[in-house]
Amino acid sequence: MNRTDVILTGIKPTGSPHLGNYVGAIKPALDLARGSPDANAMYFLADFHALTLIKDPTLFRDRCHELAATWIACGLDPDRQVFYRQSDVPEVFELSWILSCSTSKGWMNRAHAYKAHVDQNTRSGDGDPDAGVNMGVYSYPILMAADILLFQAKYVPVGRDQEQHIEIARDIAARFNRSYGEVFTLPLFISDPSTAEIPGTDGRKMSKAYDNTIPLFGPREALRRAIFGIRTDSSAPGAPKDPDASLVFRIFRQFADRERTEAMRDGLRQGRITWKEAKEALFDLVDGFLDRPRAMYDDLMSDRPRIDRILEAGAGRARELARPTLEKVRQAVGR
Ligand code: TRP
């Protein structure tokens, strides 16, 4: 990675942050920046992306603050990294429109999220394949391309489910460059293979959509309840258990060091550890891990104007970085 390389990623504030967000998105993105101190790392709240879903203004504001506090509590340093809220950077939306004008509608028809809606509507057979789809959902990948291309980002660390969006951003950039000259850096999807998707309490991918999440912050009781709600098989307390088939173990290993992971693995295999004890150990581990971040999170959430100030300062820097590219784009199209 070079000095001028930009690493950029965003998360949309659609639900309260959970362990899956931390393990699958926040941690790998922060680790990547730590491992490449020469690159410029940028992190943002994709807040206007969340408007496709959230229609309640109070909830929207809460989600944004929660997500900002989460990033910082998990280790993002807003003095060293550029941390901002998408909607504080109007350049994004101008670029998004310009990109829309040279993006084929057909590409959007093939985007996974939109297609999933259409498939769902087609299956339910109510006649309108576009029922319930707003234009935000449809052009979501173009706004996302603008997020990325505006900062000439080269590396975009995201989960597998976002891979197609990065490919679309790349295609949009390449087409624009072909028409108007070399304006944009072509972005690359990167996904850390060691960050396996963390299962939810029912075994499916941890997601607010499935209601199977383990919360990152909030009352410890809620953390305990979620962990004790993790599905286990019905093996008797003293029976040998298969660690790799166990959700408790698969979550445990994301937080434990090698030694503790092996001890848990052996204990389960040999039937020395009951599910109840394994859950107790998982709770202690996660609870201990969250100790400091939780204090920081609570601190920030009790002073929301401070969160806003941090985000505004970050947006100031982001806008400075955005301006030369947007200027180039405007000139390229003849403005
Ligand atoms: N679509 C991403 C998600 O659902 C969020 C996002 C929006 C994003 N713009 C981005 C991620 C730009 C990386 C880069 O999580």
Side-chain angles (χ1 to χ4, degrees):
M1 232 163 264
N2 295 315
R3 184 159 270 295
T4 51
D5 286 347
V6 174
I7 301 171
L8 172 142
T9 197
I11 300 184
K12 60 179 182 212
T14 42
S16 287
H18 53 73
L19 281 190
N21 298 134
Y22 174 73
V23 171
I26 296 175
K27 181 173 184 293
L30 294 174
D31 284 349
L32 183 70
R34 266 186 217 117
S36 16
D38 274 350
N40 295 314
M42 307 186 68
Y43 303 98
F44 71 100
L45 311 180
D47 64 334
F48 273 11
H49 271 113
L51 282 182
T52 62
L53 224 73
I54 302 187
K55 311 294 172 185
D56 173 337
T58 308
L59 183 67
F60 183 65
R61 203 167 296 125
D62 287 348
R63 293 291 186 239
C64 286
H65 285 140
E66 286 172 6
L67 183 57
T70 297
W71 271 110
I72 297 171
C74 290
L76 186 150
D77 178 354
D79 290 327
R80 297 192 46 209
Q81 292 137 358
V82 184
F83 181 49
Y84 61 98
R85 172 166 48 199
Q86 179 190 42
S87 61
D88 284 330
V89 182
E91 287 79 1
V92 171
F93 305 99
E94 180 174 342
L95 179 59
S96 181
W97 175 258
I98 296 175
L99 296 176
S100 301
C101 295
S102 50
T103 300
S104 334
K105 179 170 174 288
W107 288 358
M108 297 301 103
N109 291 340
R110 288 189 286 277
H112 294 323
Y114 168 66
K115 259 179 60 187
H117 280 287
V118 171
D119 290 349
Q120 171 76 27
N121 285 333
T122 311
R123 267 198 307 277
S124 69
D126 66 0
D128 178 7
D130 283 325
V133 177
N134 59 53
M135 280 305 294
V137 170
Y138 193 65
S139 44
Y140 186 109
I142 304 179
L143 181 56
M144 185 157 160
D147 289 329
I148 297 168
L149 304 182
L150 183 62
F151 299 102
Q152 307 284 10
K154 185 156 172 192
Y155 301 105
V156 188
V158 281
R160 284 247 151 251
D161 62 326
Q162 295 296 311
E163 183 173 9
Q164 191 202 28
H165 284 149
I166 312 302
E167 280 164 8
I168 293 175
R170 203 178 158 81
D171 289 343
I172 290 176
R175 174 175 288 185
F176 191 93
N177 286 355
R178 271 198 307 279
S179 313
Y180 295 107
E182 290 301 308
V183 173
F184 294 121
T185 303
L186 303 189
L188 289 171
F189 159 79
I190 45 174
S191 172
D192 181 345
S194 70
T195 54
E197 219 165 63
I198 184 171
T201 54
D202 62 355
R204 291 184 289 179
K205 178 189 170 182
M206 190 180 290
S207 161
K208 46 220 161 214
Y210 299 143
D211 196 19
N212 63 359
T213 63
I214 299 175
L216 264 178
F217 299 115
R220 297 171 75 206
E221 247 336 284
L223 177 66
R224 173 181 284 277
R225 220 176 312 117
I227 287 179
F228 275 80
I230 296 174
R231 205 190 56 210
T232 49
D233 65 24
S234 52
S235 31
K241 304 167 187 71
D242 176 3
D244 295 307
S246 140
L247 299 174
V248 179
F249 180 73
R250 281 163 59 203
I251 300 170
F252 186 88
R253 62 184 304 177
Q254 296 289 335
F255 292 89
D257 58 21
R258 210 189 180 85
E259 211 174 304
R260 290 173 93 166
T261 303
E262 290 320 309
M264 176 61 78
R265 189 196 295 280
D266 290 346
L268 287 170
R269 254 199 208 128
Q270 295 158 8
R272 275 187 290 105
I273 298 180
T274 65
W275 287 133
K276 185 163 174 292
E277 288 160 348
K279 287 177 176 178
E280 201 63 65
L282 178 61
F283 172 74
D284 287 342
L285 185 68
V286 174
D287 188 49
F289 165 80
L290 286 177
D291 214 28
R292 281 190 51 203
R294 192 186 279 129
M296 197 155 178
Y297 178 88
D298 290 343
D299 216 38
L300 282 159
M301 285 302 283
S302 67
D303 185 2
R304 297 198 190 197
R306 183 168 151 226
I307 301 180
D308 289 328
R309 281 195 303 276
I310 293 173
L311 291 171
E312 279 156 24
R317 290 164 67 200
R319 296 190 69 185
E320 269 168 42
L321 294 166
R323 240 168 255 135
T325 301
L326 189 62
E327 207 34 61
K328 242 174 150 177
V329 171
R330 285 171 145 238
Q331 272 182 14
V333 299
R335 204 350 268 273

